[in-house]
Amino acid sequence: MTDPILEFEDVDIRYRTEKGNDVHAVNDASFSINRHDYFGLVGESGCGKSTIADAIVGGLDANGEVTSGTIRYKGEEIQDYSEKEFNQNVRWKEISVIPQSSMNSLDPVMKLSNQAVEMAKYHTDLTKTEAIDRLRELFEVVGLSESRIHDYPHQFSGGMQQRAIIAFALYLRPSLIIADEPTTALDVIMQDQIIDYINGLKDDWDISMLMITHDISVVFENCDSMAVMHGGQVAETGSVVDVYDRPRHPYAILLQNAFPDVRFPDRELAVIDGHPPQLRGEVDFCTFADRCPWAQPECREGAPDAQAVAGDDDHQAWCVRADEMEELAAEHLEPKAEEESILGGGE
Ligand SMILES: Nc1ncnc2c1ncn2[C@@H]1O[C@H](COP(=O)(O)OP(=O)(O)OP(=O)(O)O)[C@@H](O)[C@H]1O
């Protein structure tokens, strides 16, 4: 039985612009994250991932707005919450964010211990000593020496700062953590370490995770379920097993061949030709149509509806040809069957 912690239902998000040529950044997006699940949101730059993350915590830019649809957190509609309601009821306490870079989220002129005390003062009844002790415990969780809790952020390397951010993200014991490209600013070794820390939390903490990335293999290796986005639309959603073994949206199919896969070290990485469209004005077409090898005229005559893949409502593809894709894309889908799976978290 599904037990959603966060539900996106037919959500549209717009950014107003001075010229009146609004950016329709997210269009009719639907997906749902179950309690205790790690959920991956994947897609290329500009497809709307951060906009979705910002909307969840009420952090859209001033010109951004959820113009229709519903965002439910633990069953409660939050899309129309005021700034005050988000601060009191949602941010940090319920949902915390690990941002792309720690630069903007740690106060550079305040010791980390004092930042913890401030956070505790605003949100909890902890004494100063208890507040610092809690940070000490969390430093241990993320592999930082507790002797560093009185340091300033600039005394830490990038990877250490990112781990400190994870400690702060856990500080108020939230139910959902949003990790928005949490390793982009780090070198490859640090990236692996941070992903390992995030992944390790799953065993010890009762949390759900929304992991945002452009790298589909990160999602396959670390998540339970996922959504693939393209050009402001959700293309496909389902368990990682479903999307990995039976992708049915052309973009999800081609994306798998565009990233390195340990099963096929010699495989040439495919390039997905073309660019996503500018999202100005009404998006009443499939935004992948111009790049899709299997597009037909009807793909440009209306935004696609969700199709349940093989009758499974938990696996959906927003493609008018979803039920033909197994046949149409056979050459892209074929090699998997005989090889070992790279799935990590979802099994
Ligand atoms: N404040 C804004 N005003 C106008 N357009 C915006 C604003 N913020 C974002 N956009 C546009 O909205 C679209 C979605 O942007 P968003 O940052 O959500 O994408 P993304 O998938 O998170 O990209 P990235 O991976 O590069 O962070 C893009 O076309 C972007 O240019």
Side-chain angles (χ1 to χ4, degrees), residues 14-17 23-26 43-54 60-64 100 180-181 212-214 229 232 277-280:
R14 310 260 186 278
Y15 290 107
R16 285 179 306 282
T17 61
V23 178
H24 291 229
V26 173
E44 64 200 335
S45 186
C47 72
K49 307 181 295 296
S50 298
T51 297
I52 283 181
D54 291 344
L60 284 171
D61 291 345
N63 62 334
Q100 293 193 6
D180 188 356
E181 301 267 15
I212 294 177
T213 175
H214 60 277
M229 280 192 80
Q278 294 288 318
L279 299 172
R280 305 279 174 161

PDB file of all heavy atoms in Angstrom, residues 14-17 23-26 43-54 60-64 100 180-181 212-214 229 232 277-280, ligand 1:
ATOM      1  N   ARG A  14       4.684  29.148 -12.841  1.00  0.00           N
ATOM      2  CA  ARG A  14       5.063  30.178 -13.817  1.00  0.00           C
ATOM      3  C   ARG A  14       6.011  31.188 -13.184  1.00  0.00           C
ATOM      4  O   ARG A  14       5.932  31.455 -11.992  1.00  0.00           O
ATOM      5  CB  ARG A  14       3.826  30.983 -14.252  1.00  0.00           C
ATOM      6  CG  ARG A  14       2.643  30.175 -14.680  1.00  0.00           C
ATOM      7  CD  ARG A  14       2.578  30.109 -16.186  1.00  0.00           C
ATOM      8  NE  ARG A  14       1.358  29.435 -16.614  1.00  0.00           N
ATOM      9  CZ  ARG A  14       1.224  28.116 -16.668  1.00  0.00           C
ATOM     10  NH1 ARG A  14       2.207  27.323 -16.297  1.00  0.00           N
ATOM     11  NH2 ARG A  14       0.097  27.570 -17.077  1.00  0.00           N
ATOM     12  N   TYR A  15       6.873  31.767 -14.023  1.00  0.00           N
ATOM     13  CA  TYR A  15       7.641  32.942 -13.612  1.00  0.00           C
ATOM     14  C   TYR A  15       7.170  34.112 -14.465  1.00  0.00           C
ATOM     15  O   TYR A  15       7.192  34.024 -15.704  1.00  0.00           O
ATOM     16  CB  TYR A  15       9.138  32.731 -13.843  1.00  0.00           C
ATOM     17  CG  TYR A  15       9.771  31.708 -12.915  1.00  0.00           C
ATOM     18  CD1 TYR A  15      10.144  30.457 -13.396  1.00  0.00           C
ATOM     19  CD2 TYR A  15      10.002  31.999 -11.581  1.00  0.00           C
ATOM     20  CE1 TYR A  15      10.734  29.525 -12.551  1.00  0.00           C
ATOM     21  CE2 TYR A  15      10.589  31.073 -10.732  1.00  0.00           C
ATOM     22  CZ  TYR A  15      10.946  29.836 -11.220  1.00  0.00           C
ATOM     23  OH  TYR A  15      11.531  28.920 -10.382  1.00  0.00           O
ATOM     24  N   ARG A  16       6.735  35.174 -13.812  1.00  0.00           N
ATOM     25  CA  ARG A  16       6.353  36.371 -14.561  1.00  0.00           C
ATOM     26  C   ARG A  16       7.611  37.087 -15.040  1.00  0.00           C
ATOM     27  O   ARG A  16       8.620  37.114 -14.334  1.00  0.00           O
ATOM     28  CB  ARG A  16       5.538  37.334 -13.682  1.00  0.00           C
ATOM     29  CG  ARG A  16       4.101  36.878 -13.431  1.00  0.00           C
ATOM     30  CD  ARG A  16       3.380  37.869 -12.534  1.00  0.00           C
ATOM     31  NE  ARG A  16       4.118  38.106 -11.292  1.00  0.00           N
ATOM     32  CZ  ARG A  16       4.129  37.268 -10.261  1.00  0.00           C
ATOM     33  NH1 ARG A  16       3.449  36.139 -10.319  1.00  0.00           N
ATOM     34  NH2 ARG A  16       4.823  37.565  -9.175  1.00  0.00           N
ATOM     35  N   THR A  17       7.548  37.641 -16.224  1.00  0.00           N
ATOM     36  CA  THR A  17       8.689  38.420 -16.727  1.00  0.00           C
ATOM     37  C   THR A  17       8.211  39.814 -17.109  1.00  0.00           C
ATOM     38  O   THR A  17       7.011  40.032 -17.331  1.00  0.00           O
ATOM     39  CB  THR A  17       9.330  37.753 -17.956  1.00  0.00           C
ATOM     40  OG1 THR A  17       8.340  37.675 -18.981  1.00  0.00           O
ATOM     41  CG2 THR A  17       9.842  36.370 -17.651  1.00  0.00           C
ATOM     42  N   VAL A  23       7.484  32.588 -18.161  1.00  0.00           N
ATOM     43  CA  VAL A  23       8.141  31.283 -18.312  1.00  0.00           C
ATOM     44  C   VAL A  23       7.238  30.239 -17.659  1.00  0.00           C
ATOM     45  O   VAL A  23       6.937  30.323 -16.470  1.00  0.00           O
ATOM     46  CB  VAL A  23       9.526  31.286 -17.622  1.00  0.00           C
ATOM     47  CG1 VAL A  23      10.177  29.901 -17.742  1.00  0.00           C
ATOM     48  CG2 VAL A  23      10.429  32.354 -18.212  1.00  0.00           C
ATOM     49  N   HIS A  24       6.793  29.279 -18.454  1.00  0.00           N
ATOM     50  CA  HIS A  24       5.962  28.190 -17.924  1.00  0.00           C
ATOM     51  C   HIS A  24       6.899  27.059 -17.508  1.00  0.00           C
ATOM     52  O   HIS A  24       7.093  26.090 -18.234  1.00  0.00           O
ATOM     53  CB  HIS A  24       4.960  27.733 -18.983  1.00  0.00           C
ATOM     54  CG  HIS A  24       3.916  28.762 -19.274  1.00  0.00           C
ATOM     55  ND1 HIS A  24       2.578  28.472 -19.308  1.00  0.00           N
ATOM     56  CD2 HIS A  24       4.006  30.100 -19.500  1.00  0.00           C
ATOM     57  CE1 HIS A  24       1.887  29.582 -19.560  1.00  0.00           C
ATOM     58  NE2 HIS A  24       2.749  30.573 -19.691  1.00  0.00           N
ATOM     59  N   ALA A  25       7.498  27.230 -16.333  1.00  0.00           N
ATOM     60  CA  ALA A  25       8.632  26.387 -15.941  1.00  0.00           C
ATOM     61  C   ALA A  25       8.224  24.951 -15.626  1.00  0.00           C
ATOM     62  O   ALA A  25       8.984  24.018 -15.872  1.00  0.00           O
ATOM     63  CB  ALA A  25       9.345  27.003 -14.752  1.00  0.00           C
ATOM     64  N   VAL A  26       7.038  24.776 -15.050  1.00  0.00           N
ATOM     65  CA  VAL A  26       6.560  23.426 -14.709  1.00  0.00           C
ATOM     66  C   VAL A  26       5.112  23.314 -15.171  1.00  0.00           C
ATOM     67  O   VAL A  26       4.292  24.201 -14.917  1.00  0.00           O
ATOM     68  CB  VAL A  26       6.669  23.176 -13.181  1.00  0.00           C
ATOM     69  CG1 VAL A  26       6.024  21.856 -12.793  1.00  0.00           C
ATOM     70  CG2 VAL A  26       8.137  23.195 -12.741  1.00  0.00           C
ATOM     71  N   GLY A  43      16.747  15.174 -14.699  1.00  0.00           N
ATOM     72  CA  GLY A  43      16.481  15.844 -15.971  1.00  0.00           C
ATOM     73  C   GLY A  43      17.577  16.859 -16.211  1.00  0.00           C
ATOM     74  O   GLY A  43      18.315  17.216 -15.290  1.00  0.00           O
ATOM     75  N   GLU A  44      17.672  17.350 -17.464  1.00  0.00           N
ATOM     76  CA  GLU A  44      18.798  18.227 -17.754  1.00  0.00           C
ATOM     77  C   GLU A  44      18.545  19.651 -17.260  1.00  0.00           C
ATOM     78  O   GLU A  44      17.441  19.983 -16.823  1.00  0.00           O
ATOM     79  CB  GLU A  44      19.120  18.211 -19.255  1.00  0.00           C
ATOM     80  CG  GLU A  44      18.025  18.742 -20.119  1.00  0.00           C
ATOM     81  CD  GLU A  44      18.147  18.280 -21.566  1.00  0.00           C
ATOM     82  OE1 GLU A  44      19.253  17.958 -22.020  1.00  0.00           O
ATOM     83  OE2 GLU A  44      17.113  18.236 -22.238  1.00  0.00           O
ATOM     84  N   SER A  45      19.592  20.454 -17.342  1.00  0.00           N
ATOM     85  CA  SER A  45      19.538  21.819 -16.826  1.00  0.00           C
ATOM     86  C   SER A  45      18.348  22.586 -17.414  1.00  0.00           C
ATOM     87  O   SER A  45      18.099  22.527 -18.608  1.00  0.00           O
ATOM     88  CB  SER A  45      20.847  22.522 -17.195  1.00  0.00           C
ATOM     89  OG  SER A  45      20.877  23.767 -16.602  1.00  0.00           O
ATOM     90  N   GLY A  46      17.627  23.267 -16.563  1.00  0.00           N
ATOM     91  CA  GLY A  46      16.527  24.120 -17.007  1.00  0.00           C
ATOM     92  C   GLY A  46      15.197  23.407 -17.139  1.00  0.00           C
ATOM     93  O   GLY A  46      14.191  24.014 -17.534  1.00  0.00           O
ATOM     94  N   CYS A  47      15.126  22.122 -16.799  1.00  0.00           N
ATOM     95  CA  CYS A  47      13.866  21.390 -17.014  1.00  0.00           C
ATOM     96  C   CYS A  47      12.851  21.645 -15.894  1.00  0.00           C
ATOM     97  O   CYS A  47      11.695  21.231 -16.007  1.00  0.00           O
ATOM     98  CB  CYS A  47      14.110  19.897 -17.187  1.00  0.00           C
ATOM     99  SG  CYS A  47      14.566  19.055 -15.676  1.00  0.00           S
ATOM    100  N   GLY A  48      13.278  22.302 -14.812  1.00  0.00           N
ATOM    101  CA  GLY A  48      12.307  22.671 -13.775  1.00  0.00           C
ATOM    102  C   GLY A  48      12.503  21.987 -12.431  1.00  0.00           C
ATOM    103  O   GLY A  48      11.666  22.128 -11.530  1.00  0.00           O
ATOM    104  N   LYS A  49      13.615  21.288 -12.249  1.00  0.00           N
ATOM    105  CA  LYS A  49      13.819  20.534 -11.003  1.00  0.00           C
ATOM    106  C   LYS A  49      13.896  21.447  -9.778  1.00  0.00           C
ATOM    107  O   LYS A  49      13.211  21.226  -8.781  1.00  0.00           O
ATOM    108  CB  LYS A  49      15.116  19.700 -11.097  1.00  0.00           C
ATOM    109  CG  LYS A  49      15.210  18.815 -12.321  1.00  0.00           C
ATOM    110  CD  LYS A  49      16.482  18.003 -12.349  1.00  0.00           C
ATOM    111  CE  LYS A  49      17.774  18.797 -12.464  1.00  0.00           C
ATOM    112  NZ  LYS A  49      17.953  19.563 -13.710  1.00  0.00           N
ATOM    113  N   SER A  50      14.740  22.479  -9.865  1.00  0.00           N
ATOM    114  CA  SER A  50      14.887  23.363  -8.702  1.00  0.00           C
ATOM    115  C   SER A  50      13.601  24.145  -8.451  1.00  0.00           C
ATOM    116  O   SER A  50      13.275  24.459  -7.302  1.00  0.00           O
ATOM    117  CB  SER A  50      16.045  24.339  -8.897  1.00  0.00           C
ATOM    118  OG  SER A  50      17.243  23.628  -9.013  1.00  0.00           O
ATOM    119  N   THR A  51      12.894  24.464  -9.515  1.00  0.00           N
ATOM    120  CA  THR A  51      11.619  25.170  -9.355  1.00  0.00           C
ATOM    121  C   THR A  51      10.662  24.323  -8.515  1.00  0.00           C
ATOM    122  O   THR A  51       9.977  24.826  -7.620  1.00  0.00           O
ATOM    123  CB  THR A  51      11.008  25.465 -10.752  1.00  0.00           C
ATOM    124  OG1 THR A  51      11.905  26.331 -11.450  1.00  0.00           O
ATOM    125  CG2 THR A  51       9.647  26.108 -10.650  1.00  0.00           C
ATOM    126  N   ILE A  52      10.654  23.026  -8.787  1.00  0.00           N
ATOM    127  CA  ILE A  52       9.809  22.112  -8.006  1.00  0.00           C
ATOM    128  C   ILE A  52      10.261  22.096  -6.549  1.00  0.00           C
ATOM    129  O   ILE A  52       9.459  22.204  -5.620  1.00  0.00           O
ATOM    130  CB  ILE A  52       9.830  20.705  -8.637  1.00  0.00           C
ATOM    131  CG1 ILE A  52       8.921  20.716  -9.873  1.00  0.00           C
ATOM    132  CG2 ILE A  52       9.412  19.621  -7.643  1.00  0.00           C
ATOM    133  CD1 ILE A  52       8.802  19.400 -10.601  1.00  0.00           C
ATOM    134  N   ALA A  53      11.583  21.986  -6.338  1.00  0.00           N
ATOM    135  CA  ALA A  53      12.107  21.965  -4.964  1.00  0.00           C
ATOM    136  C   ALA A  53      11.743  23.262  -4.236  1.00  0.00           C
ATOM    137  O   ALA A  53      11.298  23.237  -3.084  1.00  0.00           O
ATOM    138  CB  ALA A  53      13.621  21.782  -4.983  1.00  0.00           C
ATOM    139  N   ASP A  54      11.914  24.381  -4.924  1.00  0.00           N
ATOM    140  CA  ASP A  54      11.614  25.675  -4.295  1.00  0.00           C
ATOM    141  C   ASP A  54      10.140  25.777  -3.930  1.00  0.00           C
ATOM    142  O   ASP A  54       9.777  26.298  -2.869  1.00  0.00           O
ATOM    143  CB  ASP A  54      11.987  26.829  -5.239  1.00  0.00           C
ATOM    144  CG  ASP A  54      13.499  26.961  -5.413  1.00  0.00           C
ATOM    145  OD1 ASP A  54      14.234  26.389  -4.584  1.00  0.00           O
ATOM    146  OD2 ASP A  54      13.927  27.610  -6.374  1.00  0.00           O
ATOM    147  N   LEU A  60      10.085  29.865  -3.911  1.00  0.00           N
ATOM    148  CA  LEU A  60      10.166  30.322  -5.307  1.00  0.00           C
ATOM    149  C   LEU A  60      10.652  31.769  -5.344  1.00  0.00           C
ATOM    150  O   LEU A  60      10.381  32.542  -4.425  1.00  0.00           O
ATOM    151  CB  LEU A  60       8.779  30.255  -5.966  1.00  0.00           C
ATOM    152  CG  LEU A  60       8.273  28.875  -6.377  1.00  0.00           C
ATOM    153  CD1 LEU A  60       6.798  28.966  -6.818  1.00  0.00           C
ATOM    154  CD2 LEU A  60       9.122  28.286  -7.497  1.00  0.00           C
ATOM    155  N   ASP A  61      11.347  32.134  -6.410  1.00  0.00           N
ATOM    156  CA  ASP A  61      11.725  33.533  -6.593  1.00  0.00           C
ATOM    157  C   ASP A  61      10.461  34.389  -6.549  1.00  0.00           C
ATOM    158  O   ASP A  61       9.353  33.899  -6.813  1.00  0.00           O
ATOM    159  CB  ASP A  61      12.414  33.719  -7.956  1.00  0.00           C
ATOM    160  CG  ASP A  61      13.776  33.041  -7.981  1.00  0.00           C
ATOM    161  OD1 ASP A  61      14.284  32.691  -6.898  1.00  0.00           O
ATOM    162  OD2 ASP A  61      14.321  32.852  -9.093  1.00  0.00           O
ATOM    163  N   ALA A  62      10.666  35.686  -6.284  1.00  0.00           N
ATOM    164  CA  ALA A  62       9.507  36.572  -6.081  1.00  0.00           C
ATOM    165  C   ALA A  62       8.565  36.588  -7.287  1.00  0.00           C
ATOM    166  O   ALA A  62       7.353  36.775  -7.136  1.00  0.00           O
ATOM    167  CB  ALA A  62      10.002  37.971  -5.778  1.00  0.00           C
ATOM    168  N   ASN A  63       9.110  36.369  -8.490  1.00  0.00           N
ATOM    169  CA  ASN A  63       8.246  36.406  -9.683  1.00  0.00           C
ATOM    170  C   ASN A  63       7.653  35.028 -10.011  1.00  0.00           C
ATOM    171  O   ASN A  63       6.987  34.863 -11.020  1.00  0.00           O
ATOM    172  CB  ASN A  63       9.030  36.938 -10.888  1.00  0.00           C
ATOM    173  CG  ASN A  63      10.208  36.053 -11.265  1.00  0.00           C
ATOM    174  OD1 ASN A  63      10.740  35.341 -10.430  1.00  0.00           O
ATOM    175  ND2 ASN A  63      10.599  36.093 -12.524  1.00  0.00           N
ATOM    176  N   GLY A  64       7.905  34.031  -9.133  1.00  0.00           N
ATOM    177  CA  GLY A  64       7.401  32.689  -9.399  1.00  0.00           C
ATOM    178  C   GLY A  64       6.126  32.410  -8.624  1.00  0.00           C
ATOM    179  O   GLY A  64       5.909  32.952  -7.540  1.00  0.00           O
ATOM    180  N   GLN A 100      22.771  23.000  -3.634  1.00  0.00           N
ATOM    181  CA  GLN A 100      23.852  22.657  -4.571  1.00  0.00           C
ATOM    182  C   GLN A 100      25.206  23.025  -3.997  1.00  0.00           C
ATOM    183  O   GLN A 100      26.172  22.315  -4.143  1.00  0.00           O
ATOM    184  CB  GLN A 100      23.667  23.412  -5.887  1.00  0.00           C
ATOM    185  CG  GLN A 100      22.457  22.979  -6.640  1.00  0.00           C
ATOM    186  CD  GLN A 100      22.439  23.502  -8.070  1.00  0.00           C
ATOM    187  OE1 GLN A 100      23.385  24.109  -8.527  1.00  0.00           O
ATOM    188  NE2 GLN A 100      21.367  23.243  -8.773  1.00  0.00           N
ATOM    189  N   ASP A 180      19.379  19.009  -3.441  1.00  0.00           N
ATOM    190  CA  ASP A 180      19.343  19.577  -4.787  1.00  0.00           C
ATOM    191  C   ASP A 180      20.761  19.590  -5.362  1.00  0.00           C
ATOM    192  O   ASP A 180      21.551  20.473  -5.049  1.00  0.00           O
ATOM    193  CB  ASP A 180      18.760  20.997  -4.721  1.00  0.00           C
ATOM    194  CG  ASP A 180      18.522  21.575  -6.113  1.00  0.00           C
ATOM    195  OD1 ASP A 180      18.882  20.916  -7.119  1.00  0.00           O
ATOM    196  OD2 ASP A 180      17.984  22.688  -6.204  1.00  0.00           O
ATOM    197  N   GLU A 181      21.072  18.622  -6.185  1.00  0.00           N
ATOM    198  CA  GLU A 181      22.421  18.468  -6.749  1.00  0.00           C
ATOM    199  C   GLU A 181      23.461  18.681  -5.652  1.00  0.00           C
ATOM    200  O   GLU A 181      24.336  19.554  -5.764  1.00  0.00           O
ATOM    201  CB  GLU A 181      22.662  19.483  -7.884  1.00  0.00           C
ATOM    202  CG  GLU A 181      21.690  19.382  -9.035  1.00  0.00           C
ATOM    203  CD  GLU A 181      22.178  18.494 -10.171  1.00  0.00           C
ATOM    204  OE1 GLU A 181      23.142  17.731  -9.968  1.00  0.00           O
ATOM    205  OE2 GLU A 181      21.576  18.544 -11.252  1.00  0.00           O
ATOM    206  N   ILE A 212      17.675  15.497  -6.177  1.00  0.00           N
ATOM    207  CA  ILE A 212      17.579  16.135  -7.488  1.00  0.00           C
ATOM    208  C   ILE A 212      18.926  16.070  -8.180  1.00  0.00           C
ATOM    209  O   ILE A 212      19.948  16.428  -7.592  1.00  0.00           O
ATOM    210  CB  ILE A 212      17.148  17.605  -7.305  1.00  0.00           C
ATOM    211  CG1 ILE A 212      15.730  17.636  -6.745  1.00  0.00           C
ATOM    212  CG2 ILE A 212      17.249  18.374  -8.609  1.00  0.00           C
ATOM    213  CD1 ILE A 212      15.214  19.018  -6.462  1.00  0.00           C
ATOM    214  N   THR A 213      18.939  15.617  -9.409  1.00  0.00           N
ATOM    215  CA  THR A 213      20.212  15.458 -10.117  1.00  0.00           C
ATOM    216  C   THR A 213      19.980  15.419 -11.624  1.00  0.00           C
ATOM    217  O   THR A 213      18.879  15.153 -12.090  1.00  0.00           O
ATOM    218  CB  THR A 213      20.920  14.149  -9.656  1.00  0.00           C
ATOM    219  OG1 THR A 213      22.085  13.947 -10.434  1.00  0.00           O
ATOM    220  CG2 THR A 213      20.029  12.934  -9.811  1.00  0.00           C
ATOM    221  N   HIS A 214      21.061  15.695 -12.386  1.00  0.00           N
ATOM    222  CA  HIS A 214      20.952  15.516 -13.837  1.00  0.00           C
ATOM    223  C   HIS A 214      21.476  14.137 -14.229  1.00  0.00           C
ATOM    224  O   HIS A 214      21.434  13.760 -15.381  1.00  0.00           O
ATOM    225  CB  HIS A 214      21.761  16.608 -14.547  1.00  0.00           C
ATOM    226  CG  HIS A 214      23.198  16.556 -14.187  1.00  0.00           C
ATOM    227  ND1 HIS A 214      23.694  17.152 -13.037  1.00  0.00           N
ATOM    228  CD2 HIS A 214      24.241  15.933 -14.763  1.00  0.00           C
ATOM    229  CE1 HIS A 214      24.974  16.891 -12.944  1.00  0.00           C
ATOM    230  NE2 HIS A 214      25.339  16.157 -13.982  1.00  0.00           N
ATOM    231  N   MET A 229      12.233  14.248 -15.795  1.00  0.00           N
ATOM    232  CA  MET A 229      11.606  15.462 -16.334  1.00  0.00           C
ATOM    233  C   MET A 229      12.280  15.893 -17.621  1.00  0.00           C
ATOM    234  O   MET A 229      13.483  15.717 -17.786  1.00  0.00           O
ATOM    235  CB  MET A 229      11.760  16.616 -15.346  1.00  0.00           C
ATOM    236  CG  MET A 229      10.792  16.607 -14.206  1.00  0.00           C
ATOM    237  SD  MET A 229      10.872  18.192 -13.326  1.00  0.00           S
ATOM    238  CE  MET A 229       9.869  19.249 -14.383  1.00  0.00           C
ATOM    239  N   GLY A 232      10.128  21.067 -18.519  1.00  0.00           N
ATOM    240  CA  GLY A 232       9.013  21.508 -17.687  1.00  0.00           C
ATOM    241  C   GLY A 232       7.888  20.498 -17.526  1.00  0.00           C
ATOM    242  O   GLY A 232       6.862  20.794 -16.910  1.00  0.00           O
ATOM    243  N   PRO A 277      12.771  23.120 -25.581  1.00  0.00           N
ATOM    244  CA  PRO A 277      12.217  24.393 -26.053  1.00  0.00           C
ATOM    245  C   PRO A 277      12.254  25.460 -24.970  1.00  0.00           C
ATOM    246  O   PRO A 277      12.322  25.148 -23.786  1.00  0.00           O
ATOM    247  CB  PRO A 277      10.764  24.038 -26.382  1.00  0.00           C
ATOM    248  CG  PRO A 277      10.459  22.877 -25.512  1.00  0.00           C
ATOM    249  CD  PRO A 277      11.739  22.126 -25.330  1.00  0.00           C
ATOM    250  N   GLN A 278      12.243  26.694 -25.390  1.00  0.00           N
ATOM    251  CA  GLN A 278      12.036  27.806 -24.468  1.00  0.00           C
ATOM    252  C   GLN A 278      10.608  27.683 -23.933  1.00  0.00           C
ATOM    253  O   GLN A 278       9.691  27.458 -24.706  1.00  0.00           O
ATOM    254  CB  GLN A 278      12.165  29.147 -25.215  1.00  0.00           C
ATOM    255  CG  GLN A 278      13.556  29.418 -25.740  1.00  0.00           C
ATOM    256  CD  GLN A 278      14.519  29.755 -24.608  1.00  0.00           C
ATOM    257  OE1 GLN A 278      14.153  30.487 -23.706  1.00  0.00           O
ATOM    258  NE2 GLN A 278      15.715  29.192 -24.670  1.00  0.00           N
ATOM    259  N   LEU A 279      10.445  27.820 -22.641  1.00  0.00           N
ATOM    260  CA  LEU A 279       9.110  27.582 -22.090  1.00  0.00           C
ATOM    261  C   LEU A 279       8.331  28.886 -21.947  1.00  0.00           C
ATOM    262  O   LEU A 279       7.839  29.220 -20.868  1.00  0.00           O
ATOM    263  CB  LEU A 279       9.240  26.855 -20.754  1.00  0.00           C
ATOM    264  CG  LEU A 279       9.932  25.489 -20.868  1.00  0.00           C
ATOM    265  CD1 LEU A 279      10.198  24.903 -19.501  1.00  0.00           C
ATOM    266  CD2 LEU A 279       9.097  24.529 -21.707  1.00  0.00           C
ATOM    267  N   ARG A 280       8.277  29.630 -23.027  1.00  0.00           N
ATOM    268  CA  ARG A 280       7.513  30.884 -23.015  1.00  0.00           C
ATOM    269  C   ARG A 280       6.124  30.594 -23.564  1.00  0.00           C
ATOM    270  O   ARG A 280       5.987  29.953 -24.591  1.00  0.00           O
ATOM    271  CB  ARG A 280       8.180  31.933 -23.911  1.00  0.00           C
ATOM    272  CG  ARG A 280       9.619  32.181 -23.569  1.00  0.00           C
ATOM    273  CD  ARG A 280       9.717  33.112 -22.406  1.00  0.00           C
ATOM    274  NE  ARG A 280      11.102  33.269 -21.968  1.00  0.00           N
ATOM    275  CZ  ARG A 280      11.515  34.281 -21.224  1.00  0.00           C
ATOM    276  NH1 ARG A 280      10.679  35.197 -20.822  1.00  0.00           N
ATOM    277  NH2 ARG A 280      12.761  34.359 -20.849  1.00  0.00           N
TER     278      ARG A 280
HETATM  279  N1  LIG B   1      13.189  33.778 -11.417  1.00  0.00           N
HETATM  280  C1  LIG B   1      13.039  33.299 -12.649  1.00  0.00           C
HETATM  281  N2  LIG B   1      12.489  34.076 -13.621  1.00  0.00           N
HETATM  282  C2  LIG B   1      12.304  33.605 -14.876  1.00  0.00           C
HETATM  283  N3  LIG B   1      12.633  32.358 -15.253  1.00  0.00           N
HETATM  284  C3  LIG B   1      13.178  31.544 -14.334  1.00  0.00           C
HETATM  285  C4  LIG B   1      13.416  31.963 -12.985  1.00  0.00           C
HETATM  286  N4  LIG B   1      13.977  30.927 -12.305  1.00  0.00           N
HETATM  287  C5  LIG B   1      14.077  29.903 -13.181  1.00  0.00           C
HETATM  288  N5  LIG B   1      13.607  30.282 -14.404  1.00  0.00           N
HETATM  289  C6  LIG B   1      13.486  29.433 -15.601  1.00  0.00           C
HETATM  290  O1  LIG B   1      12.665  28.320 -15.271  1.00  0.00           O
HETATM  291  C7  LIG B   1      13.106  27.157 -15.956  1.00  0.00           C
HETATM  292  C8  LIG B   1      13.367  26.046 -14.948  1.00  0.00           C
HETATM  293  O2  LIG B   1      14.503  26.404 -14.157  1.00  0.00           O
HETATM  294  P1  LIG B   1      15.045  25.473 -12.980  1.00  0.00           P
HETATM  295  O3  LIG B   1      16.149  26.226 -12.309  1.00  0.00           O
HETATM  296  O4  LIG B   1      13.924  25.023 -12.149  1.00  0.00           O
HETATM  297  O5  LIG B   1      15.648  24.241 -13.774  1.00  0.00           O
HETATM  298  P2  LIG B   1      16.608  23.082 -13.243  1.00  0.00           P
HETATM  299  O6  LIG B   1      16.142  21.842 -13.898  1.00  0.00           O
HETATM  300  O7  LIG B   1      16.651  23.101 -11.770  1.00  0.00           O
HETATM  301  O8  LIG B   1      18.016  23.519 -13.826  1.00  0.00           O
HETATM  302  P3  LIG B   1      19.474  23.324 -13.182  1.00  0.00           P
HETATM  303  O9  LIG B   1      19.750  21.850 -13.220  1.00  0.00           O
HETATM  304  O10 LIG B   1      20.347  24.109 -14.110  1.00  0.00           O
HETATM  305  O11 LIG B   1      19.428  23.885 -11.781  1.00  0.00           O
HETATM  306  C9  LIG B   1      14.335  27.573 -16.755  1.00  0.00           C
HETATM  307  O12 LIG B   1      13.892  27.901 -18.064  1.00  0.00           O
HETATM  308  C10 LIG B   1      14.814  28.810 -16.047  1.00  0.00           C
HETATM  309  O13 LIG B   1      15.511  29.684 -16.917  1.00  0.00           O
END
